Short mmCIF file of all heavy atoms in Angstrom, two decimals:
data_model
loop_
_atom_site.label_atom_id
_atom_site.label_comp_id
_atom_site.label_asym_id
_atom_site.label_seq_id
_atom_site.Cartn_x
_atom_site.Cartn_y
_atom_site.Cartn_z
N PRO A 82 -58.04 -24.05 -94.85
CA PRO A 82 -58.00 -24.09 -96.36
C PRO A 82 -59.10 -23.20 -96.99
O PRO A 82 -60.23 -23.08 -96.51
CB PRO A 82 -58.33 -25.61 -96.68
CG PRO A 82 -57.94 -26.26 -95.45
CD PRO A 82 -58.27 -25.40 -94.28
N VAL A 83 -58.66 -22.54 -98.08
CA VAL A 83 -59.55 -21.56 -98.75
C VAL A 83 -59.62 -22.02 -100.23
O VAL A 83 -58.55 -22.14 -100.89
CB VAL A 83 -59.09 -20.11 -98.64
CG1 VAL A 83 -60.07 -19.24 -99.46
CG2 VAL A 83 -58.99 -19.69 -97.23
N GLU A 84 -60.80 -22.34 -100.69
CA GLU A 84 -60.92 -22.83 -102.04
C GLU A 84 -60.43 -21.88 -103.09
O GLU A 84 -60.75 -20.63 -103.03
CB GLU A 84 -62.43 -23.18 -102.33
CG GLU A 84 -62.70 -23.81 -103.69
CD GLU A 84 -64.16 -24.14 -103.89
OE1 GLU A 84 -64.95 -23.98 -102.97
OE2 GLU A 84 -64.49 -24.67 -105.00
N GLY A 85 -59.63 -22.34 -103.98
CA GLY A 85 -59.03 -21.50 -105.00
C GLY A 85 -57.73 -20.87 -104.61
O GLY A 85 -57.18 -20.04 -105.47
N TRP A 86 -57.18 -21.10 -103.47
CA TRP A 86 -55.92 -20.49 -103.03
C TRP A 86 -54.98 -21.55 -102.47
O TRP A 86 -55.36 -22.52 -101.73
CB TRP A 86 -56.21 -19.50 -101.87
CG TRP A 86 -57.06 -18.42 -102.37
CD1 TRP A 86 -58.45 -18.35 -102.60
CD2 TRP A 86 -56.62 -17.04 -102.72
NE1 TRP A 86 -58.85 -17.10 -103.04
CE2 TRP A 86 -57.74 -16.31 -103.13
CE3 TRP A 86 -55.35 -16.44 -102.64
CZ2 TRP A 86 -57.69 -14.98 -103.47
CZ3 TRP A 86 -55.23 -15.12 -103.11
CH2 TRP A 86 -56.37 -14.36 -103.50
N ASP A 87 -53.63 -21.38 -102.79
CA ASP A 87 -52.55 -22.11 -102.17
C ASP A 87 -52.10 -21.39 -100.96
O ASP A 87 -52.14 -20.18 -100.92
CB ASP A 87 -51.40 -22.29 -103.18
CG ASP A 87 -51.77 -23.35 -104.30
OD1 ASP A 87 -52.44 -24.33 -103.99
OD2 ASP A 87 -51.28 -23.07 -105.39
N ILE A 88 -51.73 -22.23 -99.93
CA ILE A 88 -51.32 -21.57 -98.69
C ILE A 88 -49.89 -22.13 -98.37
O ILE A 88 -49.53 -23.32 -98.43
CB ILE A 88 -52.22 -22.01 -97.53
CG1 ILE A 88 -53.62 -21.58 -97.80
CG2 ILE A 88 -51.77 -21.30 -96.20
CD1 ILE A 88 -54.65 -22.05 -96.81
N LYS A 89 -49.04 -21.22 -98.06
CA LYS A 89 -47.64 -21.48 -97.60
C LYS A 89 -47.38 -20.90 -96.22
O LYS A 89 -47.62 -19.65 -95.98
CB LYS A 89 -46.57 -20.89 -98.55
CG LYS A 89 -45.20 -21.21 -98.24
CD LYS A 89 -44.24 -20.54 -99.21
CE LYS A 89 -42.76 -20.74 -98.84
NZ LYS A 89 -41.76 -20.09 -99.70
N VAL A 90 -46.96 -21.70 -95.32
CA VAL A 90 -46.61 -21.30 -93.98
C VAL A 90 -45.11 -21.27 -93.75
O VAL A 90 -44.45 -22.29 -94.07
CB VAL A 90 -47.29 -22.25 -92.93
CG1 VAL A 90 -46.94 -21.82 -91.51
CG2 VAL A 90 -48.76 -22.30 -93.06
N THR A 91 -44.59 -20.17 -93.35
CA THR A 91 -43.11 -19.95 -93.17
C THR A 91 -42.88 -19.92 -91.64
O THR A 91 -43.49 -19.13 -90.91
CB THR A 91 -42.63 -18.73 -93.89
OG1 THR A 91 -42.98 -18.74 -95.23
CG2 THR A 91 -41.18 -18.59 -93.73
N LYS A 92 -41.90 -20.73 -91.24
CA LYS A 92 -41.45 -20.66 -89.85
C LYS A 92 -40.08 -20.21 -89.68
O LYS A 92 -39.25 -20.42 -90.60
CB LYS A 92 -41.57 -22.13 -89.25
CG LYS A 92 -43.01 -22.60 -88.96
CD LYS A 92 -43.05 -24.02 -88.30
CE LYS A 92 -44.45 -24.48 -88.06
NZ LYS A 92 -44.42 -25.79 -87.42
N SER A 93 -39.77 -19.66 -88.57
CA SER A 93 -38.40 -19.11 -88.32
C SER A 93 -37.99 -19.47 -86.86
O SER A 93 -38.89 -19.63 -85.98
CB SER A 93 -38.36 -17.61 -88.55
OG SER A 93 -38.62 -17.27 -89.85
N ARG A 94 -36.69 -19.60 -86.67
CA ARG A 94 -36.17 -19.88 -85.37
C ARG A 94 -36.28 -18.73 -84.38
O ARG A 94 -36.09 -17.52 -84.85
CB ARG A 94 -34.67 -20.44 -85.43
CG ARG A 94 -34.18 -20.94 -84.04
CD ARG A 94 -32.94 -21.61 -84.27
NE ARG A 94 -33.10 -22.90 -85.12
CZ ARG A 94 -33.52 -24.03 -84.56
NH1 ARG A 94 -33.77 -24.20 -83.28
NH2 ARG A 94 -33.64 -25.12 -85.34
N LEU A 95 -36.73 -18.90 -83.22
CA LEU A 95 -36.91 -17.83 -82.23
C LEU A 95 -35.60 -17.46 -81.51
O LEU A 95 -34.87 -18.37 -81.19
CB LEU A 95 -37.97 -18.19 -81.20
CG LEU A 95 -39.37 -18.48 -81.79
CD1 LEU A 95 -40.27 -18.96 -80.64
CD2 LEU A 95 -39.98 -17.24 -82.39
N ALA A 96 -35.38 -16.20 -81.30
CA ALA A 96 -34.20 -15.81 -80.49
C ALA A 96 -34.31 -16.29 -79.04
O ALA A 96 -33.31 -16.74 -78.50
CB ALA A 96 -34.11 -14.30 -80.57
N GLU A 97 -35.56 -16.25 -78.52
CA GLU A 97 -35.77 -16.88 -77.24
C GLU A 97 -36.90 -17.83 -77.30
O GLU A 97 -38.01 -17.48 -77.69
CB GLU A 97 -36.16 -15.70 -76.18
CG GLU A 97 -35.09 -14.72 -75.97
CD GLU A 97 -35.40 -13.63 -75.00
OE1 GLU A 97 -36.58 -13.79 -74.38
OE2 GLU A 97 -34.67 -12.65 -74.76
N PRO A 98 -36.67 -19.08 -76.91
CA PRO A 98 -37.73 -20.13 -77.00
C PRO A 98 -38.90 -19.74 -76.13
O PRO A 98 -38.86 -19.13 -75.10
CB PRO A 98 -37.00 -21.33 -76.46
CG PRO A 98 -35.54 -21.07 -76.64
CD PRO A 98 -35.42 -19.62 -76.41
N LEU A 99 -40.08 -20.29 -76.63
CA LEU A 99 -41.36 -20.14 -75.86
C LEU A 99 -41.51 -21.38 -75.04
O LEU A 99 -41.14 -22.49 -75.44
CB LEU A 99 -42.51 -19.96 -76.81
CG LEU A 99 -42.56 -18.66 -77.67
CD1 LEU A 99 -43.73 -18.79 -78.64
CD2 LEU A 99 -42.67 -17.41 -76.77
N GLU A 100 -42.13 -21.25 -73.86
CA GLU A 100 -42.59 -22.34 -73.09
C GLU A 100 -44.13 -22.45 -73.06
O GLU A 100 -44.85 -21.58 -72.54
CB GLU A 100 -42.05 -22.26 -71.63
CG GLU A 100 -42.29 -23.49 -70.76
CD GLU A 100 -41.56 -23.50 -69.51
OE1 GLU A 100 -40.57 -22.70 -69.32
OE2 GLU A 100 -41.96 -24.32 -68.66
N VAL A 101 -44.57 -23.56 -73.68
CA VAL A 101 -46.07 -23.73 -73.81
C VAL A 101 -46.42 -25.13 -73.23
O VAL A 101 -45.87 -26.12 -73.69
CB VAL A 101 -46.47 -23.62 -75.21
CG1 VAL A 101 -48.04 -23.80 -75.34
CG2 VAL A 101 -46.15 -22.28 -75.87
N HIS A 102 -47.29 -25.12 -72.21
CA HIS A 102 -47.76 -26.36 -71.54
C HIS A 102 -46.45 -27.25 -71.17
O HIS A 102 -46.45 -28.45 -71.29
CB HIS A 102 -48.58 -27.23 -72.53
CG HIS A 102 -49.79 -26.49 -73.04
ND1 HIS A 102 -50.73 -25.89 -72.18
CD2 HIS A 102 -50.22 -26.25 -74.28
CE1 HIS A 102 -51.63 -25.31 -72.93
NE2 HIS A 102 -51.39 -25.42 -74.17
N GLY A 103 -45.47 -26.61 -70.64
CA GLY A 103 -44.36 -27.24 -70.14
C GLY A 103 -43.34 -27.63 -71.11
O GLY A 103 -42.37 -28.31 -70.77
N LYS A 104 -43.55 -27.34 -72.39
CA LYS A 104 -42.61 -27.69 -73.43
C LYS A 104 -42.00 -26.44 -74.03
O LYS A 104 -42.65 -25.44 -74.23
CB LYS A 104 -43.32 -28.47 -74.52
CG LYS A 104 -43.88 -29.82 -74.13
CD LYS A 104 -44.51 -30.56 -75.23
CE LYS A 104 -45.13 -31.94 -74.78
NZ LYS A 104 -45.79 -32.57 -75.95
N LYS A 105 -40.72 -26.48 -74.45
CA LYS A 105 -40.06 -25.35 -75.01
C LYS A 105 -40.15 -25.42 -76.56
O LYS A 105 -39.92 -26.49 -77.07
CB LYS A 105 -38.60 -25.31 -74.63
CG LYS A 105 -38.40 -24.83 -73.19
CD LYS A 105 -36.90 -24.69 -72.87
CE LYS A 105 -36.77 -24.09 -71.49
NZ LYS A 105 -35.35 -23.88 -71.15
N ILE A 106 -40.51 -24.28 -77.16
CA ILE A 106 -40.67 -24.18 -78.63
C ILE A 106 -39.66 -23.14 -79.11
O ILE A 106 -39.60 -22.02 -78.67
CB ILE A 106 -42.11 -23.76 -78.98
CG1 ILE A 106 -43.17 -24.82 -78.46
CG2 ILE A 106 -42.32 -23.62 -80.51
CD1 ILE A 106 -44.58 -24.44 -78.69
N ASP A 107 -38.76 -23.68 -80.07
CA ASP A 107 -37.72 -22.80 -80.53
C ASP A 107 -37.94 -22.17 -81.87
O ASP A 107 -37.07 -21.49 -82.41
CB ASP A 107 -36.37 -23.54 -80.56
CG ASP A 107 -36.38 -24.80 -81.32
OD1 ASP A 107 -37.45 -25.07 -81.97
OD2 ASP A 107 -35.38 -25.53 -81.38
N GLU A 108 -39.16 -22.46 -82.46
CA GLU A 108 -39.50 -21.82 -83.74
C GLU A 108 -41.02 -21.54 -83.80
O GLU A 108 -41.81 -22.15 -83.06
CB GLU A 108 -39.12 -22.72 -84.92
CG GLU A 108 -39.86 -24.01 -85.00
CD GLU A 108 -39.52 -24.88 -86.35
OE1 GLU A 108 -38.48 -24.41 -86.98
OE2 GLU A 108 -40.16 -25.76 -86.65
N ALA A 109 -41.36 -20.56 -84.62
CA ALA A 109 -42.82 -20.17 -84.68
C ALA A 109 -43.11 -19.69 -86.13
O ALA A 109 -42.11 -19.30 -86.84
CB ALA A 109 -43.06 -19.05 -83.65
#
């Protein structure tokens, strides 16, 4: 968080899922 600023995080579906710590992630 930054004082005086709003933050928006945009996620999108991945063409190829990632595997992190044994789990598959299909968006980033």
Side-chain angles (χ1 to χ4, degrees):
V83 179
E84 186 176 356
W86 295 78
D87 286 326
I88 303 175
K89 179 182 178 182
V90 178
T91 303
K92 292 184 178 182
S93 300
R94 188 168 294 277
L95 299 174
E97 297 182 6
L99 294 174
E100 186 169 342
V101 181
H102 303 306
K104 296 181 180 179
K105 287 189 175 182
I106 298 175
D107 58 3
E108 67 175 10

